[in-house]
Amino acid sequence: FYVTQESLSVWTDGNTDADSAVVFADSDEGLAGFEEYLAAHPEQTSLVIVDVIEEEYAPDTMPVLGIRDRGALIRRRLLRKFPRTHYRLSIYQGKQSRADDEALVVHSAISNHELLDPWLQIILRHQTPLVGIFSVPLLAGKLLGRFYKKQEPVMFLTQHQGQQLRQVFLQKGHVQSARLSQSPKVSDPEYPAFIVNEIQRSRRYLERTRLLGSMEQLEVFMVADDELGSRVHASAGSDSPMRLHFIDPDIAASRVGMTTGLSPSRMESLYIACAAKSRPKHSYGVSGESRFWHMRRMRHAIIGTAVTTAATCSILAGLYLSDAWYLGKQSVDIESQMTQLTETCRRESVQF
């Protein structure tokens, strides 16, 4: 289930074609339609991916502590930063260097919980097994890692939902900041200039918040074909303080296992395919939303254990049965030999 400000779209297994996704608007009619859909598919294992503007990030530093004290301190600070939503989590990123006595933590939250609550109420009402609630920015590091392994500051750009640009800033593979902004169409002549201006705006924000030094080189990765890449390069100019890299859409699609083409304006399917391959690490589903999935996994584990135990017992019973048959045959042979020896002993005794 892909949640935005305006809608929820349903993407089935292996389905990476945006045109065939089932879309429900964020309205009473859309919620009623989604209820009917889940009533017909209640047992389908699902996950929620959130791609909204109202997702906030707050980098924080804390002293290096033991696991127990560290967890308590992180929970207090997270609650203090985002008290009005239960869709929140903290990512502990460790020390920046061995000599550093402070560790970096990034707190994040979906500040407007009303974007998710109506959809989740329907999901829980139908007891749909939900793997978790994941956000697009928190998937960016995993997705970019399929293309490049970068530790220095990186900006990752993809075009979403037709006319929205997603920017994610990462350091050492961890998300530090993210933006989702309205954009022109990809075919618009002003689109390359818009991309360059948005990157420059993001850089000024990162420098102002001290997430990026004024002298640091910013590596920018964008999923775009050669034609769009050349237009963006021309708009940026040769004296730009950033280094642009372009990822071919066909290569990007194949790296995440997509079987269909990638639309230039709907690249959220990359994140959907990446999340479908393996369960993402960080989930906002911390309030029991995943309990039916855990119950289903437990049920399958119990059934699997019972089947394995039964099969093992059957094999052992077969082995013991074969041993019993072999021992029975040996017993018959021994009794026959004893009878022959007894008769021989009797005849020898009579002759003696």
Side-chain angles (χ1 to χ4, degrees):
F1 305 130
Y2 194 86
V3 178
T4 67
Q5 263 90 4
E6 298 84 14
S7 65
L8 177 146
S9 55
V10 180
W11 303 65
T12 57
D13 286 343
N15 180 11
T16 52
D17 185 359
D19 295 333
S20 59
V22 183
V23 181
F24 302 98
D26 188 7
S27 61
D28 292 340
E29 293 79 8
L31 291 171
F34 183 55
E35 181 115 34
E36 293 178 2
Y37 175 85
L38 276 191
H41 308 83
E43 292 295 324
Q44 186 171 352
T45 301
S46 307
L47 54 87
V48 172
I49 300 177
V50 186
D51 190 11
V52 296
I53 296 173
E54 292 94 336
E55 185 173 7
E56 300 180 19
Y57 291 85
D60 189 14
T61 56
M62 58 176 292
V64 178
L65 302 171
I67 295 178
R68 185 175 179 180
D69 294 335
R70 180 178 71 198
L73 179 59
I74 288 175
R75 285 191 294 271
R76 287 198 303 270
R77 291 190 177 183
L78 176 63
L79 184 60
R80 187 167 65 245
K81 288 182 180 295
F82 303 111
R84 298 184 178 180
T85 177
H86 54 272
Y87 302 113
R88 54 180 179 250
L89 59 86
S90 298
I91 303 174
Y92 181 78
Q93 300 180 5
K95 297 191 295 184
Q96 298 301 297
S97 64
R98 291 186 177 181
D100 198 353
D101 58 352
E102 288 188 331
L104 180 63
V105 179
V106 174
H107 309 286
S108 67
I110 300 172
S111 55
N112 185 4
H113 62 87
E114 294 180 357
L115 291 172
L116 280 174
D117 286 346
W119 305 112
L120 284 175
Q121 288 171 7
I122 297 174
I123 291 172
L124 294 176
R125 188 156 56 243
H126 289 275
Q127 300 185 5
T128 301
L130 189 65
V131 176
I133 303 171
F134 312 102
S135 77
V136 163
L138 293 180
L139 289 168
K142 179 180 178 182
L143 179 59
L144 184 60
R146 292 179 177 267
F147 314 132
Y148 294 95
K149 302 294 184 182
K150 290 287 183 179
Q151 296 296 318
E152 60 266 21
V154 171
M155 181 74 74
F156 184 44
L157 276 69
T158 47
Q159 188 71 21
H160 291 193
Q161 306 169 34
Q163 289 182 269
Q164 290 192 342
L165 180 68
R166 168 60 73 182
Q167 303 175 68
V168 183
F169 177 69
L170 305 105
Q171 281 186 332
K172 297 183 178 181
H174 297 292
V175 178
Q176 309 295 315
S177 177
R179 288 182 61 207
L180 183 65
S181 54
Q182 289 294 127
S183 74
K185 293 183 179 180
V186 178
S187 58
D188 194 306
E190 300 299 324
Y191 185 75
F194 169 80
I195 293 293
V196 175
N197 289 334
E198 283 297 299
I199 296 173
Q200 291 173 347
R201 286 182 60 191
S202 296
R203 174 162 192 135
R204 288 194 294 270
Y205 169 78
L206 295 172
E207 290 178 359
R208 190 167 61 251
T209 55
R210 298 184 179 181
L211 291 174
L212 183 69
S214 59
M215 302 300 295
E216 283 188 276
Q217 179 76 37
L218 179 62
E219 303 281 344
V220 179
F221 290 85
M222 181 177 179
V223 181
D225 56 21
D226 293 337
E227 189 270 336
L228 178 57
S230 61
R231 290 166 57 200
V232 175
H233 255 304
S235 182
S238 58
D239 58 344
S240 174
M242 56 189 170
R243 187 157 45 183
L244 295 169
H245 307 271
F246 298 97
I247 304 168
D248 185 84
D250 294 334
I251 296 176
S254 64
R255 291 286 178 86
V256 296
M258 290 175 57
T259 57
T260 59
L262 186 62
S263 172
S265 61
R266 299 298 304 268
M267 294 183 181
E268 61 265 31
S269 54
L270 286 173
Y271 292 91
I272 295 170
C274 184
K277 291 297 178 183
S278 61
R279 183 189 178 192
K281 186 176 181 181
H282 304 291
S283 171
Y284 284 114
V286 295
S287 302
E289 290 89 351
S290 303
R291 61 181 180 271
F292 296 115
W293 178 69
H294 288 296
M295 290 171 61
R296 186 172 184 176
R297 288 189 67 190
M298 186 179 299
R299 182 179 65 186
H300 288 175
I302 292 172
I303 294 174
T305 302
V307 171
T308 303
T309 303
T312 303
C313 291
S314 299
I315 293 172
L316 292 175
L319 292 174
Y320 286 130
L321 184 62
S322 62
D323 287 344
W325 177 82
Y326 180 71
L327 290 174
K329 185 175 180 301
Q330 283 187 324
S331 176
V332 172
D333 293 340
I334 292 172
E335 289 180 356
S336 175
Q337 292 177 5
M338 287 181 61
T339 302
Q340 293 177 2
L341 290 173
T342 302
E343 181 62 24
T344 302
C345 182
R346 186 187 65 79
R347 288 198 305 268
E348 293 296 329
S349 298
V350 169
Q351 292 178 1
F352 179 75

